Amino acid sequence: QVPMVESGGGSVQAGASLRLSCLAPVRLIGSFAMGWFRQAPGKEREFVAAIDLSGRITAYSDSVKGRFTISKDSPRNTMYLQMNSLKPEDTANYYCAPTFGRAVRSDFVSWGQGTQVTVSS
């Protein structure tokens, strides 16, 4: 199966912005709600944000609400995560996946490599 392709991460100072991109197979982004998740070393993967199939309804974790914005460009099979006012606690590898609520769909297996975000104070 074709994996997700995440990009746009980097090493920045606290307060900076980054825009992550997720290129997804059309069979996924064209059929399901999609979301961003992140995992820091030694920690569980956690939900960050999700967007519904129509692109009109979004959801965010409390830790990023007001700072991050999720969006998608369906004709380009691409989802984005605009991250502003970054904090050191945002440091993690960020992944995209189809979602069911705030969880990864149980039948999803096509994980990408993720994109690393490192925020220094």
Side-chain angles (χ1 to χ4, degrees):
Q1 297 190 9
V2 178
M4 317 293 268
V5 180
E6 300 93 348
S7 62
S11 295
V12 298
Q13 296 280 332
S17 298
L18 284 173
R19 188 195 195 203
L20 306 185
S21 298
C22 166
L23 180 62
V26 63
R27 65 177 179 81
L28 293 180
I29 199 168
S31 301
F32 304 117
M34 298 290 294
W36 286 95
F37 298 82
R38 66 187 182 186
Q39 187 166 21
K43 294 188 176 181
E44 297 283 320
R45 184 177 61 217
E46 65 172 346
F47 168 79
V48 176
I51 188 165
D52 78 329
L53 187 58
S54 73
R56 290 192 292 267
I57 299 174
T58 58
Y60 299 92
S61 68
D62 288 343
S63 62
V64 307
K65 194 177 299 182
R67 300 187 297 121
F68 291 10
T69 303
I70 189 171
S71 62
K72 69 176 185 177
D73 184 343
S74 295
R76 290 184 167 84
N77 301 329
T78 302
M79 179 176 65
Y80 303 99
L81 186 68
Q82 178 66 43
M83 306 188 298
N84 298 329
S85 303
L86 282 161
K87 303 176 180 179
E89 50 263 45
D90 294 319
T91 295
N93 205 17
Y94 284 70
Y95 301 89
C96 56
T99 61
F100 185 79
R102 296 184 175 217
V104 178
R105 284 185 60 90
S106 59
D107 56 354
F108 177 66
V109 296
S110 303
W111 290 100
Q113 297 291 316
T115 186
Q116 178 67 36
V117 173
T118 302
V119 185
S120 57
S121 57

